Amino acid sequence: MNNPPWPKGKKLVHLDLKGAPPRVGYLHKLIELFSQLGADGLLVEYEDMFPYEGDLKLLQATQHPAYSREEVLSMQEFAQSKGLEVIPLVQTFGHMEFVLKHGSLSSLRETASCIGTLTPHREEGLQLLMEMMKQVVELHPGVKTLHIGADEVYLLGEGEESKLWLSSPERTVEQLFLSHVTKVAGAVKAKWPNISIIMWDDMMREMSPETLKASGLVGRVQPMLWDYSPNLDVEKTVSLLEKYCSAGLSDVWAASSFKGSTCVHTCVPSTQRHLENHERWLQVAASVSAAVHLQGIALTGWQRYDHLSVLCELMPAALPSLAACLQTLILGQFSADAQRHVTERLGIPSVEVEDIGRTSADDSLFPGRRLAELTVELNALLNSDDIRFFDNNMYVRGWFSPFHRQRKMVTSLITRQIHSQASTYLATIQEKVEALKEEMVRLYPDSTAEEWIEEHVSPVVAPLQRIMEDFSACVTETQP
């Protein structure tokens, strides 16, 4: 379907730094590429990578150093030199795991078991948020827009203080949510009157226009409606945007996805899936009334589903997807011209990262290409049936089953063949892992490589290693 290009408004690339934070040199290469691909700005979600100071220093990452103040300023200056606006995102309600996981702040949780949701009832909670935002705003000189999060506020209303608050007649969880967000937005506006505020929209989707009008949010916030599905419901999404507009929230944003939204542990993205999501968003943009003022779209690239979940796809493997999605927004469709622009710009034969193959081309065309290639190769190897189901093949099940191993009842000829094959697979995997690790630590902290290998490689090689160990034990006990 041919759609008009994305209407006036910014195209933001989301940098989710709560996992796999790029080394600064690589971050600058990425920013330059984003600019060349047609982005207008960055939506930067620092979480524990921000250099919080004073009482908030405990929020900094411990598995690797947070960015320094100088590095944060350098990133902004470089982005601005490439024509990109930087919009920081600071969570203020849900997804507060990186804050509330700390024992000294646990009293600010909505419930003891949910470390992601801030209780809306404590004055010290608001003070904490304002200090977080103060430090972020001060380290972003000239910042024009701030994103305050507020998505997926799980178990809101389940805390004892919330239950007491809700016991009053006619009070609802909707009002509880709105009272906190309005308080935060009001405090931000009081301190920084010229800063525009964005917030995620999902907690407001079921609210009536009348409830939203009465909330105090009108004129203070701009909802960002997110939907990352390739099957995004265009009619329903248009209806939601029109509802926000009718409630007085006419300045709105969209949020799509170029990675990090397929499955919590995906490591190689499907460009086609993300292209379909952007094609649906173009249909939405073409269908809303003129009264809806689309301020822009954020192309999200989640690195974790939340602070405590596993890593999603790393940025190098997702660059073809990002480039294709941006071209789709710019041209209104993923045409032959769009595909040619992406493949020529990145020096690749296909927009699907699984098809890029090996090359000796200059890495500057595609920062991180070597890591993307190694990720694709290793992922394919690890997911091959021969390796993933090795301990379930005919020979292992037939002559080296747990029954045989426990009783040391083994057939030497066949078990040696099993041992030889397992040994070969392990050596091949190890060779590729070493190459991937060497490349990954050039672009990311050592801890990222360690986590990626532990997540994707260790579970696959463990059965092979057990077979090797059991073989050695059987051979030792059956020696004459």
Side-chain angles (χ1 to χ4, degrees):
M1 177 184 291
N2 292 345
N3 295 296
W6 188 257
K8 286 178 64 177
K10 297 181 175 66
K11 294 178 289 296
L12 309 175
V13 175
H14 174 228
L15 281 175
D16 180 14
L17 302 175
K18 63 176 173 282
R23 295 188 188 275
V24 173
Y26 184 52
L27 186 58
H28 283 214
K29 288 182 179 179
L30 289 172
I31 291 170
E32 183 165 13
L33 179 64
F34 298 161
S35 173
Q36 293 170 353
L37 293 175
D40 304 301
L42 304 175
L43 178 62
V44 185
E45 188 162 357
Y46 292 99
E47 268 218 5
D48 58 359
M49 285 303 295
F50 187 80
Y52 288 108
E53 297 183 325
D55 291 342
L56 298 187
K57 192 166 185 177
L58 86 164
L59 303 185
Q60 289 189 25
T62 55
Q63 68 274 30
H64 46 249
Y67 291 124
S68 68
R69 296 177 63 83
E70 292 72 24
E71 287 171 338
V72 171
L73 290 170
S74 169
M75 179 271 290
Q76 292 172 72
E77 290 167 4
F78 187 77
Q80 289 160 3
S81 75
K82 301 299 176 181
L84 300 180
E85 179 183 356
V86 176
I87 298 176
L89 189 158
V90 181
Q91 291 287 1
T92 58
F93 208 172
H95 285 300
M96 292 281 288
E97 293 93 349
F98 85 104
V99 177
L100 300 177
K101 70 179 183 181
H102 297 285
S104 60
L105 298 172
S106 61
S107 64
L108 297 179
R109 300 173 189 171
E110 170 70 345
T111 68
S113 62
C114 182
I115 67 170
T117 298
L118 182 78
T119 175
H121 303 285
R122 306 283 183 86
E123 182 60 31
E124 55 265 42
L126 182 61
Q127 292 170 358
L128 170 69
L129 298 176
M130 288 305 295
E131 179 59 26
M132 289 168 61
M133 288 187 283
K134 174 175 176 289
Q135 292 194 23
V136 170
V137 168
E138 288 179 351
L139 202 56
H140 289 73
V143 63
K144 298 175 182 176
T145 306
L146 178 68
H147 197 308
I148 62 169
D151 61 318
E152 297 180 333
V153 187
Y154 298 129
L155 300 187
L156 182 63
E158 297 297 315
E160 293 305 315
E161 290 174 280
S162 289
K163 288 177 180 178
L164 182 61
W165 190 89
L166 291 167
S167 65
S168 296
E170 299 182 2
R171 283 183 175 176
T172 66
V173 174
E174 287 183 351
Q175 292 170 335
L176 182 58
F177 172 82
L178 291 169
S179 67
H180 176 76
V181 177
T182 302
K183 192 183 302 182
V184 171
V188 171
K189 280 293 187 182
K191 191 166 184 63
W192 303 288
N194 297 322
I195 287 182
S196 298
I197 303 171
I198 300 173
M199 63 174 285
W200 298 118
D201 84 301
D202 54 289
M203 296 296 292
M204 302 188 294
R205 289 179 188 174
E206 303 302 320
M207 297 182 188
S208 68
E210 291 71 29
T211 297
L212 292 170
K213 282 179 185 176
S215 68
L217 288 179
V218 176
R220 287 179 171 174
V221 302
Q222 300 172 0
M224 180 175 274
L225 199 164
W226 59 270
D227 193 317
Y228 313 140
S229 170
N231 303 311
L232 180 155
D233 187 325
V234 174
E235 184 177 346
K236 183 178 178 181
T237 304
V238 169
S239 178
L240 260 176
L241 290 170
E242 297 287 358
K243 181 185 77 172
Y244 294 144
C245 182
S246 71
L249 300 166
S250 57
D251 292 340
V252 294
W253 293 74
S256 58
S257 171
F258 70 92
K259 82 176 188 77
S261 60
T262 302
C263 176
V264 69
H265 54 74
T266 304
C267 64
V268 176
S270 164
T271 297
Q272 183 59 39
R273 173 188 173 88
H274 296 292
L275 281 174
E276 290 171 10
N277 174 242
H278 285 80
E279 288 166 351
R280 294 296 181 101
W281 269 114
L282 283 169
Q283 293 174 42
V284 170
S287 302
V288 293
S289 68
V292 176
H293 303 149
L294 274 172
Q295 302 299 299
I297 183 169
L299 292 83
T300 65
W302 299 101
Q303 197 52 73
R304 300 187 194 277
Y305 275 29
D306 66 42
H307 181 75
L308 298 176
S309 67
V310 297
L311 292 170
C312 301
E313 310 100 298
L314 298 184
M315 186 65 79
L319 289 178
S321 172
L322 173 62
C325 292
L326 277 167
Q327 275 301 296
T328 299
L329 293 176
I330 291 167
L331 297 179
Q333 59 178 319
F334 191 62
S335 60
D337 284 344
Q339 179 154 333
R340 185 166 53 252
H341 178 88
V342 172
T343 55
E344 289 178 358
R345 175 65 193 81
L346 295 183
I348 55 179
S350 166
V351 296
E352 290 292 351
V353 70
E354 289 180 320
D355 300 330
I356 65 173
R358 287 288 191 97
T359 182
S360 58
D362 186 353
D363 184 59
S364 64
L365 290 170
F366 182 161
R369 174 168 183 160
R370 176 68 176 140
L371 180 55
E373 293 168 352
L374 291 167
T375 301
V376 168
E377 289 179 11
L378 183 54
N379 181 66
L381 180 63
L382 293 172
N383 284 289
S384 64
D385 287 351
D386 287 346
I387 288 179
R388 189 163 285 273
F389 303 112
F390 184 82
D391 60 351
N392 202 38
N393 73 32
M394 183 181 76
Y395 296 103
V396 176
R397 287 292 300 272
W399 286 272
F400 203 52
S401 70
F403 177 86
H404 293 106
R405 295 183 221 178
Q406 185 177 1
R407 291 162 177 78
K408 308 299 187 291
M409 295 167 49
V410 298
T411 303
S412 180
L413 179 62
I414 295 179
T415 52
R416 286 186 185 279
Q417 290 176 342
I418 294 169
H419 176 273
S420 176
Q421 189 63 69
S423 179
T424 299
Y425 284 150
L426 283 171
T428 303
I429 292 171
Q430 188 58 35
E431 181 182 355
K432 291 188 179 296
V433 167
E434 289 301 322
L436 178 137
K437 183 177 181 181
E438 181 180 353
E439 192 64 22
M440 196 176 288
V441 297
R442 289 181 55 243
L443 310 181
Y444 294 99
D446 292 1
S447 59
T448 296
E450 293 166 4
E451 180 179 352
W452 196 97
I453 292 167
E454 186 69 24
E455 176 187 337
H456 294 289
V457 181
S458 297
V460 178
V461 302
L464 296 174
Q465 290 169 334
R466 280 195 297 271
I467 284 174
M468 299 284 283
E469 292 165 2
D470 290 349
F471 174 85
S472 297
C474 288
V475 168
T476 300
E477 291 208 13
T478 56
Q479 289 292 339

